[in-house]
Amino acid sequence: MRSLSAALEISGRTDTGLVRDHNEDAISFEPDLGLVILADGMGGYNAGEVASGIATQVVAEVMRAQMMATPPHVKTAGSLWPVAHEMLLLAIDRANALIYTTAQEHSQCAGMGTTLVTGVFYNDHIAIAHVGDSRAYRLRGDDFEQLTRDHSFLQEQVDAGLLTPEEARHAPYKNLVTRAVGIGPVVHTELHEYEVQAGDVYLFCSDGLSDMLPDESLAQLIKLFKDNLPQACNVLIEQANAEGGRDNISVVLVRVNRDFPVESGIWNKFTGWFGTSS
C-alpha cells in the first residue's frame, strides 16, 4: 500500500506572534494519510492551549484509527465522500466530548474551546471540516479562493448586508465566533468536498494570519514561494508579524504534486469492498 506522501507535500509552522505571551494554536499533519488539522484555542489562562492540543491529538488519532481499521462492510455508491464525511464527524465529535468533559471536571479549564479546520485528501478530492473562523483556502493557477466560511458574528453581519467585507476587516469584534469545539455537549461541524487538481496549493490558517494579511497578500506570497513550502510558511508568518502579530499565527500549506486516484493511496484498502454485499 502506497501512502499519499508522493502526491502531497505538506509543511506547517505555528508562531506565538508579537503580542500574546503563549501560543494557543496547534497544528498536526500527516502526509502519508493526507491529513491536516489546525486549531485555535480559547479560554482562561492556558486553557485554550489545552483545548487546541486535545482537538489536534484526538482528531489525528481517531482519523488514523478509522483509516487503518474501517470494517469491510463499509460501502458507497462510487464515492468515498460518505466515508470521509462520517470519519471527520466522528473524529470531531470525539474531540468535542473530551474537551467539554475536561472543562467540566477542571475548574481552570472552564469555558475553554477551540476553532478547528481539518482536511483529508483522497481519490483526487479533499474533504474539509471546520468549526469557527480558522480557514482553508485554495490556490489554483491565478485563482485564490476561500473554501471555508467563518462561523463568526462578523460573518453574520456581512451576510446580512450590515457590513461590507472591507468594513469587516477593521471591525473591533472580529474574533467573536458563533461555533467552537468543546464549548457544549454537541458540536455543529460544517463539511464540504472539493475536487483536487495537480498544481493546487491549499492553505490552512488561524485568524492570526488572515486578520493580519488580506487575501490578495496571501495569494501573492503563496504564488511567489509555492515551490518551497517551508519558506512560504516562514514568509507568511513573518509578514503577519510585520503587520503587528496581534495573535498567534498558524499556517499549514499543502501542494498537490500529482493525481492520487483511490488505487494509489491508503484508501485503496476500501476499493475491493465497494459494491460488495455484507
Side-chain angles (χ1 to χ4, degrees), residues 45-87:
Y45 182 69
N46 287 341
E49 188 175 333
V50 173
S52 63
I54 291 174
T56 52
Q57 181 178 345
V58 170
V59 171
E61 289 177 353
V62 174
M63 289 297 293
R64 188 185 309 116
Q66 290 184 103
M67 286 180 175
M68 301 306 296
T70 299
H73 64 264
V74 171
K75 49 185 176 289
T76 176
S79 170
L80 289 173
W81 167 238
V83 180
H85 180 110
E86 292 303 321
M87 284 184 172

Side-chain angles (χ1 to χ4, degrees), residues 23 40 42 50 91 93 122 157 177-178 200-201 217 233 252 254 259:
N23 194 344
D40 179 356
M42 62 196 78
V50 173
D93 283 349
Y122 57 93
Q157 299 293 294
V177 296
T178 54
D200 285 353
V201 179
S217 297
C233 291
V252 180
V254 183
D259 296 339

Side-chain angles (χ1 to χ4, degrees), residues 200-243:
D200 285 353
V201 179
Y202 293 83
L203 165 67
F204 298 81
C205 66
S206 62
D207 64 349
L209 181 73
S210 56
D211 281 353
M212 293 293 97
L213 300 176
D215 289 1
E216 296 79 10
S217 297
L218 296 175
Q220 182 180 26
L221 292 170
I222 294 171
K223 287 177 186 177
L224 284 173
F225 296 99
K226 65 181 181 180
D227 293 330
N228 187 334
L229 294 190
Q231 186 178 8
C233 291
N234 290 338
V235 169
L236 287 167
I237 288 175
E238 287 169 5
Q239 286 299 114
N241 278 326
E243 293 297 323

